[in-house]
Amino acid sequence: MNGAESLVHTLLACGVDTCFSNPGTSEMHFVAALDRIPGMRCVLGLFEGVVTGAADGYARMAGRPAATLLHCGPGLANGLANLHNARRAATPIVNITGDQATYHRPLDAPLTADTEGFARGVSGWVRTATSAATVGRDAAAAVQAARTAPGQIATLILPADTAWTKGGVVAETLPVPERPRADPHQVRVAADVLRRGERTLIVLGGDALTEAGLALAHRVAARTGASLTAMGSNGRIARGRGRVAVNRIPYPVDQAVKALGGFRHVVLVACRKPVIFFAYPGKPGSPVPDDADVHVLARPEQDPVDALARLADEVGAPAASVPDAGPRPEPARGAITPESFAPTLAALLPEQAVVADEAITFGRGFFPGTVAAAPHDWLQVTGGAIGGGMPLATGAALGAPGRRVVNLQADGSAMYTLQALWTQARERLDVTTIVFSNRKYQILLGELANVGANPGRTALDMMDLGNPDLDFVGLARGMGVEGARADTCERFADLFAQSLRMQGPFLIELPT
Amino acid sequence: MNGAESLVHTLLACGVDTCFSNPGTSEMHFVAALDRIPGMRCVLGLFEGVVTGAADGYARMAGRPAATLLHCGPGLANGLANLHNARRAATPIVNITGDQATYHRPLDAPLTADTEGFARGVSGWVRTATSAATVGRDAAAAVQAARTAPGQIATLILPADTAWTKGGVVAETLPVPERPRADPHQVRVAADVLRRGERTLIVLGGDALTEAGLALAHRVAARTGASLTAMGSNGRIARGRGRVAVNRIPYPVDQAVKALGGFRHVVLVACRKPVIFFAYPGKPGSPVPDDADVHVLARPEQDPVDALARLADEVGAPAASVPDAGPRPEPARGAITPESFAPTLAALLPEQAVVADEAITFGRGFFPGTVAAAPHDWLQVTGGAIGGGMPLATGAALGAPGRRVVNLQADGSAMYTLQALWTQARERLDVTTIVFSNRKYQILLGELANVGANPGRTALDMMDLGNPDLDFVGLARGMGVEGARADTCERFADLFAQSLRMQGPFLIELPT
């Protein structure tokens, strides 16, 4: 058994049975091992950003890590942006990157690069394998690291000779450390704060946004009068009818400051103190009021559902039924606007859909506007690195088979990782992609306006996706995904319903 | 004047007048400054890999650096692969990356990443600006660093507040250090070796592959009986009728070893000792025979044309006319194969074309097969990071206006940075892209065969670009580039001639 074979056997033994891949020459022995040993589902991406973003989406839905298979150096580099997003979602990923053979690296061949240096910035755990005999153990340690709460990226770098040399040993699964519980002191402090009756906001992140976490947070809020919100960017939120509805902290700085204005206390559950995405001259870096006290009920690695349950008991919160979200909206008619699209989507979203949201400016109102839709999960591009949406949708479809994935997709960011459509076609994934085609980087036009002055030709050109216009239906067809364009809500509704009836992917372009 | 304005003024004063860009929020003040200050040509790429690869192609042709404008963290990460290629070509690039405001960075907002860590692996020079007052000086230092021989990537990281704060100062141009000359001892040693009459190979890289460098190398070879070769991967080679023809060291290990077999001496001119791209079990890491002596006439930073001229004098080499390349081939007829395509291209290539070559396996014979074409320049993807070809072609068209760029493009690598076509359409660049669509990662199938055993379904699927087939003509059209498919050399010749008559880009897909 060579090192690569011990790696594959160990991954399978540790419960990793899906591998998103884009291999190169230095990974050929790993590919050969995947070929010889049955049990691993290998999914090809035509670009590494697709591979890593899909691994993120997969784990968010499956609740366990996939492996990646990336080419050395620049191959890993191409996947970094979506690893950055996955890191911000605390997604477990066993990120396997090939590399030059240990004895070839000093020769500095053209593809030789600082693989470990590239990996450090996005990984919680990095190890370069040193021998075939220990690769199995390295793989088990990588899976253990990836699954350690709250979840992280574990990068295992695999020099080619550690893969091809004989003497591989299959390693035993290493135990995943039990998720730490909040300290009793944390729970008592939060309860004391809540009992005071001062204006208090409970901020939920991570697994506090599961159906169970939300229900417990609602119990606490109902008993104490506290308000609830989710963080601005979240890996996965349980939503729709029967789930407790929460807003998210808005992206624009002024709205975020307003949303948190007047709170005397902020209690953090599985998240860190909220901050604004970017600094702006003369504006605060955090939406939390300066005079508010910040308390931590559960740090990101601590079990937030357990902490919320204990807090509910501590404040004597009785069982509370989930507030009714109101009637499911009716589909709108006529032109597609942010205001008409949200109720239309809410009306049509199927049960247990998975929404992969990279709709950006056009889609800011979609989240509040779909609260009364059928139960679904909502995934966000957590790290702000655009190009997350389509890969997330791809991986989510593999991580949640039998559920429809709806990718709400801005046009500018779609162009970053459009190759994901091909993987959707090849794997016949049930993904409906909705491209909001406003033909500009709208978010930047807003930011530029904040900078002041009327933008001139140079600035406008840098934010303009027209001249020439992108034809997303044509681009999708070029990768084997059928699609169509809709100018009205009625036409969109027809196309969307059609996509739900078919097996496999479909793309709807909405010129907006 | 704010920091961003001092940056733009300084860049212009230093001769940098082209900026390949894909900005984000943290770069808005830089964008506003580019908008207010006339003189900088800004070229938008829809993905950072396009931006950095185009900056590489531009500088290879223009002989001076462009600037980039990249978004913080993940934006830079998306551009790393083509910066890696540029680093291997020793291309000068002033690589400007935004970042979080200095005081916002400690808050670790979602997009915050290890920008400097990402930059280090590809840059010869990295600096993070610390104040608006010093950004101008930082920019001048970056241009100086980029232009220091043999050329390198100088990354200037621009925290948002250093851009927006008042007090910017336009800096004076810093002198580019004179290119060092080879030491007299280096020239004498090389001459002594060549005079011995033992089998000697002169290996040329960098600027030794200019028309002047090649002519001098030929004089030396004609006098001493030495052989000439170019390195395997080169930034730019002057080729075609009237230029001295050299082969390149082959990519496959066995062919490379064979090509260098029997040489007793290897003389390096503006390159380092040749190495094999990857290690293979039981095969050497370098094609240079173990018993050969390696001599350095000019290190990469030393002036190779000067060194070759002095060497020619030292060995008493008389003027030597450039050997005739033979008649220009006739276009072939019938099916498109590697053997039929090369003479067809050689017959049709216009005067002073620029060839951007990422044809990979299908194109291995194109370089030797086009030696008798009209004079042209040949650019390669120097670092082995695929996805270089289309961006290189895009930048080369901007760096060499009035010359036709011909992009020889494999299908697998085309999918990495296909967005370059949109920039070609927007800027109406004279690029003819020829996609060799074999619908597989052919190079990996070869590598897998070397690993032994018959590949099974899993391995074949990871190297198969079919199922579904990619429609490159449709993909190009979706980005505003017209194209057509050709099944025969005659049809290709017609389409190619048509593309030469038009202004702007055109794509020809060749199913092979």
Side-chain angles (χ1 to χ4, degrees):
Chain A
M1 183 183 312
N2 66 23
E5 290 162 333
S6 74
L7 171 64
V8 175
H9 281 301
T10 303
L11 289 173
L12 288 169
C14 293
V16 176
D17 60 9
T18 302
C19 180
F20 295 94
S21 66
N22 185 283
T25 300
S26 41
E27 294 74 54
M28 275 308 105
H29 290 82
F30 188 14
V31 169
L34 288 165
D35 198 38
R36 276 194 295 271
I37 301 163
M40 186 74 78
R41 178 167 188 179
C42 295
V43 179
L44 178 62
L46 297 188
F47 177 69
E48 290 88 349
V50 175
V51 169
T52 55
D56 185 5
Y58 172 90
R60 291 197 204 179
M61 294 314 302
R64 60 204 172 86
T68 62
L69 193 181
L70 300 174
H71 196 23
C72 62
L76 169 63
N78 283 331
L80 288 176
N82 275 333
L83 289 172
H84 170 88
N85 285 325
R87 174 171 80 94
R88 292 297 186 184
T91 302
I93 294 179
V94 180
N95 183 46
I96 303 177
T97 300
D99 208 352
Q100 300 287 356
T102 51
Y103 60 86
H104 198 64
R105 165 166 275 281
L107 302 185
D108 197 31
L111 249 178
T112 307
D114 185 10
T115 306
E116 212 170 292
F118 291 157
R120 289 231 170 268
V122 295
S123 310
W125 181 101
V126 180
R127 185 181 293 177
T128 299
T130 55
S131 78
T134 47
V135 163
R137 269 191 280 161
D138 295 334
V143 177
Q144 182 189 45
R147 300 190 71 159
T148 298
Q152 62 184 345
I153 296 165
T155 297
L156 175 59
I157 298 168
L158 189 68
D161 53 335
T162 67
W164 78 51
T165 304
K166 295 282 172 202
V169 181
V170 181
E172 303 228 341
T173 305
L174 295 172
V176 178
E178 206 178 325
R179 189 158 195 181
R181 301 177 68 201
D183 189 90
H185 179 70
Q186 291 171 276
V187 178
R188 265 198 312 274
V189 166
D192 286 347
V193 165
L194 287 163
R195 275 191 290 251
R196 266 187 247 172
E198 297 175 326
R199 281 199 67 196
T200 301
L201 178 67
I202 301 176
V203 184
L204 307 170
D207 289 339
L209 297 166
T210 54
E211 186 165 359
L214 287 165
L216 288 162
H218 170 65
R219 262 179 69 191
V220 171
R223 172 81 174 96
T224 63
S227 299
L228 299 179
T229 186
M231 286 287 276
S233 296
N234 303 280
R236 177 177 173 179
I237 307 180
R239 291 193 84 239
R241 305 188 62 76
R243 276 86 178 265
V244 173
V246 286
N247 288 327
R248 300 181 320 222
I249 298 175
Y251 174 91
V253 54
D254 295 334
Q255 292 177 38
V257 167
K258 192 170 165 211
L260 271 70
F263 283 107
R264 184 65 198 83
H265 299 278
V266 171
V267 176
L268 305 178
V269 191
C271 59
R272 288 175 311 143
K273 181 179 166 181
V275 297
I276 304 296
F277 241 76
F278 295 103
Y280 301 88
K283 308 230 169 178
S286 167
V288 176
D290 283 344
D291 59 354
D293 291 329
V294 176
H295 315 273
V296 178
L297 174 67
R299 292 192 302 272
E301 73 276 17
Q302 294 173 323
D303 184 341
V305 177
D306 168 78
L308 285 165
R310 288 157 59 204
L311 178 62
D313 288 347
E314 186 85 19
V315 298
S321 61
V322 173
D324 186 64
R328 194 193 265 222
E330 293 295 317
R333 298 180 155 274
I336 293 164
T337 64
E339 294 69 31
S340 68
F341 183 79
T344 308
L345 180 66
L348 303 174
L349 204 64
E351 293 273 331
Q352 297 301 328
V354 180
V355 176
D357 175 13
E358 197 177 35
I360 313 195
T361 38
F362 192 84
R364 288 233 174 100
F366 294 171
F367 185 79
T370 51
V371 67
H376 60 276
D377 284 292
W378 195 284
L379 315 184
Q380 290 180 267
V381 176
T382 40
I386 65 173
M390 290 183 153
L392 265 184
T394 306
L398 284 153
R403 299 174 63 176
R404 191 78 198 180
V405 178
V406 178
N407 176 199
L408 306 174
Q409 186 59 53
D411 51 356
S413 34
M415 288 305 292
Y416 272 58
T417 45
L418 197 71
Q419 307 94 333
L421 293 173
W422 181 85
T423 300
Q424 293 174 14
R426 167 173 278 199
E427 302 289 335
R428 293 179 178 73
L429 301 179
D430 293 337
V431 180
T432 303
T433 301
I434 305 165
V435 176
F436 303 96
S437 201
N438 62 8
R439 298 184 172 144
K440 46 182 105 66
Y441 290 130
Q442 180 63 45
I443 192 168
L444 295 185
L445 285 167
E447 302 282 10
L448 190 68
N450 289 337
V451 171
N454 296 325
R457 194 70 256 157
T458 299
L460 290 174
D461 279 351
M462 273 199 266
M463 288 152 204
D464 170 27
L465 303 180
N467 180 25
D469 286 344
L470 294 158
D471 169 8
F472 281 94
V473 174
L475 289 167
R477 205 164 281 153
M479 287 186 273
V481 173
E482 281 308 307
R485 207 165 281 113
D487 284 312
T488 63
C489 288
E490 295 88 327
R491 171 80 175 134
F492 165 73
D494 286 347
L495 290 171
F496 189 74
Q498 174 188 328
S499 82
L500 300 183
R501 285 192 301 270
M502 64 192 280
Q503 269 218 316
F506 192 77
L507 181 141
I508 305 169
E509 182 176 4
L510 305 180
T512 68
Chain B
M1 182 181 314
N2 66 23
E5 289 161 334
S6 73
L7 171 64
V8 174
H9 281 300
T10 304
L11 290 172
L12 288 168
C14 294
V16 177
D17 61 8
T18 302
C19 179
F20 295 94
S21 67
N22 186 282
T25 299
S26 42
E27 293 74 52
M28 275 309 104
H29 289 81
F30 188 14
V31 169
L34 288 165
D35 198 36
R36 275 194 295 271
I37 302 164
M40 186 74 78
R41 178 167 189 178
C42 295
V43 179
L44 178 62
L46 296 187
F47 178 69
E48 290 87 351
V50 176
V51 169
T52 54
D56 185 5
Y58 172 89
R60 290 197 205 180
M61 294 313 302
R64 60 205 173 86
T68 61
L69 194 182
L70 300 174
H71 195 24
C72 63
L76 169 63
N78 283 331
L80 288 176
N82 276 333
L83 289 173
H84 170 89
N85 285 325
R87 175 171 79 94
R88 292 298 187 186
T91 301
I93 295 179
V94 180
N95 183 47
I96 303 178
T97 300
D99 208 353
Q100 300 287 355
T102 51
Y103 61 85
H104 199 64
R105 165 165 276 282
L107 303 185
D108 197 32
L111 248 177
T112 308
D114 185 10
T115 306
E116 209 171 294
F118 290 157
R120 289 233 171 267
V122 295
S123 309
W125 182 100
V126 180
R127 185 181 293 178
T128 300
T130 57
S131 79
T134 46
V135 163
R137 270 191 280 162
D138 294 334
V143 177
Q144 181 189 45
R147 299 189 74 158
T148 298
Q152 62 184 344
I153 296 166
T155 297
L156 175 59
I157 298 169
L158 189 68
D161 52 336
T162 67
W164 79 51
T165 304
K166 297 282 171 201
V169 180
V170 181
E172 303 228 341
T173 305
L174 296 172
V176 178
E178 207 179 325
R179 189 159 195 180
R181 303 177 68 202
D183 189 90
H185 179 71
Q186 291 172 276
V187 178
R188 267 199 311 274
V189 166
D192 286 347
V193 165
L194 286 162
R195 275 192 289 251
R196 265 186 249 172
E198 295 175 327
R199 281 199 67 197
T200 301
L201 178 67
I202 301 175
V203 183
L204 307 170
D207 289 338
L209 297 166
T210 54
E211 186 164 358
L214 286 165
L216 287 163
H218 171 65
R219 261 177 70 191
V220 171
R223 172 81 174 96
T224 63
S227 299
L228 298 179
T229 187
M231 285 288 275
S233 296
N234 303 281
R236 177 177 173 179
I237 308 180
R239 292 194 83 238
R241 304 188 63 77
R243 277 84 178 266
V244 173
V246 286
N247 288 326
R248 300 180 320 222
I249 298 174
Y251 174 92
V253 53
D254 295 335
Q255 291 177 40
V257 168
K258 194 170 164 211
L260 272 70
F263 284 105
R264 182 67 196 83
H265 299 278
V266 171
V267 176
L268 305 179
V269 190
C271 58
R272 289 176 309 143
K273 182 178 165 181
V275 297
I276 303 297
F277 241 76
F278 295 103
Y280 300 89
K283 308 230 169 176
S286 167
V288 176
D290 283 342
D291 58 356
D293 291 330
V294 177
H295 315 274
V296 178
L297 174 67
R299 292 192 301 274
E301 73 276 16
Q302 294 173 324
D303 185 340
V305 176
D306 168 79
L308 285 164
R310 288 154 61 202
L311 179 63
D313 288 347
E314 185 85 21
V315 298
S321 61
V322 172
D324 186 67
R328 194 193 263 222
E330 292 295 318
R333 300 180 152 274
I336 292 163
T337 63
E339 294 69 31
S340 69
F341 183 80
T344 307
L345 179 66
L348 303 175
L349 205 64
E351 293 274 332
Q352 297 302 330
V354 179
V355 176
D357 174 13
E358 196 177 34
I360 312 195
T361 38
F362 192 84
R364 290 235 172 98
F366 294 170
F367 184 79
T370 51
V371 67
H376 60 276
D377 284 294
W378 195 284
L379 315 185
Q380 291 180 267
V381 176
T382 40
I386 66 173
M390 290 183 153
L392 264 185
T394 306
L398 284 153
R403 299 173 63 174
R404 191 80 198 175
V405 177
V406 178
N407 176 200
L408 306 173
Q409 186 58 54
D411 51 356
S413 34
M415 289 304 292
Y416 272 57
T417 46
L418 197 70
Q419 307 95 332
L421 292 173
W422 181 85
T423 300
Q424 293 175 15
R426 166 173 278 201
E427 303 287 336
R428 293 179 179 73
L429 301 179
D430 293 337
V431 180
T432 303
T433 301
I434 305 166
V435 177
F436 303 96
S437 201
N438 62 9
R439 299 186 171 143
K440 44 182 105 69
Y441 291 129
Q442 179 63 45
I443 192 168
L444 296 185
L445 285 167
E447 302 283 10
L448 190 69
N450 289 338
V451 171
N454 295 324
R457 194 69 255 156
T458 299
L460 289 175
D461 278 350
M462 273 198 268
M463 288 153 204
D464 171 26
L465 302 180
N467 180 26
D469 285 344
L470 294 158
D471 168 9
F472 280 95
V473 174
L475 289 167
R477 204 163 284 155
M479 287 186 273
V481 173
E482 282 306 306
R485 208 164 280 115
D487 283 315
T488 63
C489 288
E490 294 90 327
R491 171 80 175 135
F492 165 74
D494 287 347
L495 290 171
F496 189 75
Q498 175 189 327
S499 81
L500 299 183
R501 285 191 302 268
M502 65 192 278
Q503 270 217 318
F506 191 78
L507 181 142
I508 305 169
E509 181 176 4
L510 305 179
T512 66

